[in-house]
Amino acid sequence: MERRYLLICTLAGLVLGWLPILVHGPIPEKFDALYIRGSTAVWSYYVARCSIGFLIGITWWPAPWYLRGPLCGWLVVGPLTLISVAMPGCGPPCMATNLTSAATLGLMIAAIGERFGRV
């Protein structure tokens, strides 16, 4: 039963983790302007978002899925958003957007895991 939950959460995370790219990025050009290889730097966000599902699948606290999902999303992407604050032209609004999308992703993944992973 728990393996199924982990598998469903991980797969949902791998699929849904790409959705924020369609809405808000990050875009490589923001990093390129700082003489950082943007096409490489943005992968830290992509990998973090896609790993939210795995973290939800292996975490048991907090017990309610509707708390665990957003918390896991926030914890995975949170440290990366500090980079957004340090970037000119981005700042706190980018941080808030990334944290909101990560928490929303976590909620969606946890809901899918709860619905299809638990039998």
Side-chain angles (χ1 to χ4, degrees), residues 1-58:
M1 179 168 78
E2 294 304 314
R3 281 188 179 168
R4 178 183 167 107
Y5 180 72
L6 174 59
L7 180 65
I8 295 294
C9 287
T10 301
L11 290 175
L14 288 171
V15 172
L16 297 179
W18 292 99
L19 291 179
I21 296 169
L22 302 173
V23 181
H24 62 80
I27 58 172
E29 290 78 15
K30 285 187 179 182
F31 292 99
D32 290 338
L34 302 172
Y35 303 103
I36 299 171
R37 189 177 303 130
S39 59
T40 303
V42 295
W43 276 95
S44 60
Y45 287 87
Y46 303 159
V47 170
R49 289 178 186 148
C50 288
S51 65
I52 293 171
F54 178 74
L55 183 63
I56 292 169
I58 63 170

Side-chain angles (χ1 to χ4, degrees), residues 26-118:
I27 58 172
E29 290 78 15
K30 285 187 179 182
F31 292 99
D32 290 338
L34 302 172
Y35 303 103
I36 299 171
R37 189 177 303 130
S39 59
T40 303
V42 295
W43 276 95
S44 60
Y45 287 87
Y46 303 159
V47 170
R49 289 178 186 148
C50 288
S51 65
I52 293 171
F54 178 74
L55 183 63
I56 292 169
I58 63 170
T59 306
W60 62 90
W61 182 89
W65 63 269
Y66 49 86
L67 296 177
R68 184 173 55 250
L71 179 64
C72 287
W74 203 85
L75 288 174
V76 168
V77 176
L80 280 174
T81 62
L82 295 174
I83 295 170
S84 298
V85 174
M87 292 176 57
C90 205
C94 291
M95 180 183 198
T97 301
N98 278 298
L99 286 175
T100 301
S101 70
T104 304
L105 268 178
L107 182 65
M108 291 168 39
I109 293 165
I112 291 169
E114 192 66 24
R115 172 65 177 94
F116 299 107
R118 305 240 192 239

